[in-house]
Amino acid sequence: MFDILWNICAFIFALGILITFHEYGHFWVARRCGVKVLKFSIGFGKPLWSKVSKSGTEYVLAAIPLGGYVRMLDGRVDDVPSEQKHLAFDSKPVSQRIAIVSAGPLANFVFAILAYWLMFGIGVPSVKPVIGEVMPESIAAEAGFEPGMQIIEIAGRQTLDWEEVSLALVAHIGNETIPIKLNSASSGVSHKSLDIRTWQFDPDQQPLLSSLGIKPFFPTVTLELAHVEETGAGAQGGLEVGDLVIAADSELIESWPQLASIIAVHGGEELIVDVMRDGAPVTLVLMPSEKASGDGSIGYLGIAPRVDEWPDEYRFEMQYSFVDAFVKGVEKTGQLIVLSIDMIGKLLTGDVSVKNLSGPISIAQGAGSSAGYGLVYFLGFLALISVNLGVINLLPLPVLDGGHLVYYIVELIRGKPVSERIQEVGFRVGSVLLLVIMGIAIFNDVARL
């Protein structure tokens, strides 16, 4: 229950920030263009708080935190007195209307730059993308990848950590090959090419890297217990910190995943575990509790293993100076904009499945988990969602900013506005398409749960 509440609160907080920035972009440019703003609302529905400023703008915080809007004086929907016609949105030159409409998505891109600027200024604890294991007969194995190799470039793009590797790989979905530059202590720098014509990637089934046959390097997970929950089934059965697990269910244990799988199938059932304690063997009879999972329930003892330290040469702080952090923020935002547009194009061509679309539930889970990791990770999450929000709003659907821009660009070229009838039809078609996309995204969210 706490996780759900945490995710919801993080989601509302994140969405509130991004919506505020987006709508403030419209608001700021509208005011600079001399348009009278009647209402600035964060959220929809019943107002929770409102205040009218000296300029006559009503500022509102509403109950449904799934969007917002800036309501401007507009002769198409308002009875505008003759003395205020120059303040109406529809009376402004088309160039100013284009600026006002595009200001929202641009504000999201600016926010992403600022978030990354702060994130890289604080510093992000990172690890180098060193390969730990290559699955036999996988795409990576056929390309000649070997454990210990570090991925330093993908298609000419530098990859400092695993996040950059993942983003670069995703950008090549639908291609035939991916050129990759690697480095290893034994063989030095080498150039490989991943043949991805048979690459099948389903994010609901396996991680991106695993689908290529790559397992990132991770420090050895030992069989020595580093943590035992005081009220957990393990502690109640007699397990202690420092115990070295030798066997479980009459089976010699060689790895932590092996032990975890045995515990998982013994929920609510007796399980005999042998450990070494202070150099002497000890046999314990445990009763793993049952914990809910996606497939029903699994056994749970409330224990965690000791993990070896990361090698110093693999760890680094991704931190930049004041100026360099800003440059890195601009560069990262630009990469995400290009990647987002590219992914939309691949959705349309079928290179990327619609199953990859995510809705509010996935965003809430991402907000909660990133906030739990700390400020720098939450900033990165906000920047990512802000870029996606900006790109989506620029789609040429009449109900979005991009649809309005299409009409105004046509007006700029033709010298006269698009007819109201065509605009009305466009808004209806756009609303249906947007509802379909949202429906697919929410369906995907529920399916993942």
Side-chain angles (χ1 to χ4, degrees):
M1 179 60 71
F2 175 79
D3 288 341
I4 294 174
L5 291 175
W6 174 261
N7 289 344
I8 291 173
C9 291
F11 171 71
I12 293 174
F13 180 71
L15 205 59
I17 292 175
L18 300 181
I19 291 170
T20 300
F21 240 83
H22 179 93
E23 299 303 335
Y24 186 76
H26 292 308
F27 172 81
W28 188 84
V29 176
R31 293 284 294 269
R32 294 302 175 277
C33 291
V35 175
K36 183 176 181 179
V37 178
L38 303 177
K39 183 181 287 189
F40 182 106
S41 178
I42 302 302
F44 301 117
K46 184 179 179 180
L48 301 176
W49 172 89
S50 66
K51 180 181 180 180
V52 179
S53 68
K54 293 180 181 179
S55 64
T57 301
E58 182 185 8
Y59 296 90
V60 176
L61 186 63
I64 305 175
L66 296 178
Y69 61 92
V70 173
R71 176 154 146 59
M72 294 169 273
L73 186 66
D74 194 324
R76 295 170 297 180
V77 293
D78 300 306
D79 292 327
V80 182
S82 57
E83 66 273 12
Q84 290 191 3
K85 285 191 179 296
H86 66 287
L87 300 176
F89 174 80
D90 60 313
S91 69
K92 298 299 178 180
V94 66
S95 58
Q96 291 188 3
R97 281 178 277 151
I98 288 174
I100 293 170
V101 171
S102 60
L106 291 178
N108 285 124
F109 300 148
V110 170
F111 175 85
I113 292 172
L114 295 177
Y116 278 129
W117 187 12
L118 181 57
M119 186 181 83
F120 289 124
I122 295 172
V124 185
S126 306
V127 294
K128 296 177 181 178
V130 177
I131 298 171
E133 188 177 346
V134 179
M135 298 294 97
E137 299 181 3
S138 64
I139 293 175
E142 292 176 358
F145 283 38
E146 297 176 1
M149 287 182 165
Q150 178 183 339
I151 301 173
I152 56 178
E153 278 186 14
I154 295 180
R157 174 175 164 182
Q158 188 179 28
T159 51
L160 298 177
D161 62 4
W162 282 113
E163 181 192 11
E164 293 188 349
V165 168
S166 296
L167 290 175
L169 290 173
V170 165
H172 285 79
I173 291 176
N175 295 356
E176 293 187 353
T177 59
I178 307 177
I180 297 183
K181 185 177 179 181
L182 305 107
N183 188 26
S184 70
S186 59
S187 58
V189 176
S190 60
H191 295 266
K192 308 288 185 182
S193 180
L194 289 175
D195 185 341
I196 57 172
R197 287 175 294 181
T198 60
W199 184 20
Q200 299 294 324
F201 170 51
D202 184 346
D204 295 332
Q205 299 298 322
Q206 62 181 150
L208 172 70
L209 295 167
S210 297
S211 66
L212 293 169
I214 298 172
K215 285 190 177 181
F217 170 83
F218 193 82
T220 302
V221 180
T222 72
L223 292 171
E224 180 184 333
L225 301 186
H227 174 72
V228 179
E229 290 181 7
E230 293 183 3
T231 58
Q236 292 174 3
L239 286 175
E240 300 177 2
V241 172
D243 285 350
L244 181 66
V245 180
I246 301 172
D249 195 29
S250 302
E251 184 178 328
L252 290 177
I253 301 300
E254 298 180 352
S255 68
W256 187 264
Q258 179 191 4
L259 175 62
S261 63
I262 292 175
I263 296 170
V265 298
H266 280 79
E269 301 177 4
E270 188 177 275
L271 175 63
I272 298 176
V273 175
D274 297 306
V275 301
M276 289 292 291
R277 182 181 296 168
D278 298 326
V282 177
T283 299
L284 301 170
V285 180
L286 308 177
M287 183 69 72
S289 58
E290 292 183 281
K291 184 176 182 180
S293 75
D295 300 321
S297 63
I298 59 172
Y300 180 74
L301 287 178
I303 59 177
R306 179 181 64 79
V307 181
D308 289 346
E309 292 290 329
W310 281 90
D312 289 338
E313 63 270 23
Y314 288 4
R315 300 169 57 185
F316 70 101
E317 189 88 1
M318 196 180 295
Q319 186 175 26
Y320 300 88
S321 66
F322 184 81
V323 174
D324 288 341
F326 178 77
V327 173
K328 183 69 175 177
V330 173
E331 177 186 315
K332 186 83 170 182
T333 300
Q335 290 173 349
L336 285 177
I337 291 172
V338 172
L339 178 61
S340 299
I341 295 172
D342 189 35
M343 287 299 103
I344 291 172
K346 289 180 179 180
L347 276 171
L348 296 174
T349 60
D351 289 326
V352 174
S353 171
V354 293
K355 291 195 298 182
N356 293 303
L357 286 174
S358 296
I361 298 175
S362 293
I363 295 173
Q365 291 174 328
S369 61
S370 62
Y373 286 130
L375 176 61
V376 292
Y377 300 102
F378 190 52
L379 286 170
F381 173 81
L382 288 176
L384 176 63
I385 299 300
S386 189
V387 167
N388 278 272
L389 184 61
V391 170
I392 289 172
N393 266 281
L394 287 174
L395 291 177
L397 295 177
V399 289
L400 299 175
D401 293 332
H404 291 284
L405 287 174
V406 169
Y407 288 147
Y408 297 143
I409 290 172
V410 171
E411 179 180 344
L412 189 65
I413 295 172
R414 295 175 68 229
K416 59 180 181 179
V418 176
S419 70
E420 291 187 10
R421 180 177 173 276
I422 292 177
Q423 291 189 44
E424 182 65 26
V425 172
F427 285 131
R428 290 180 180 179
V429 172
S431 297
V432 171
L433 289 174
L434 190 60
L435 286 172
V436 169
I437 294 171
M438 290 176 62
I440 293 172
I442 293 173
F443 176 83
N444 290 342
D445 281 356
V446 175
R448 292 186 186 107
L449 287 178

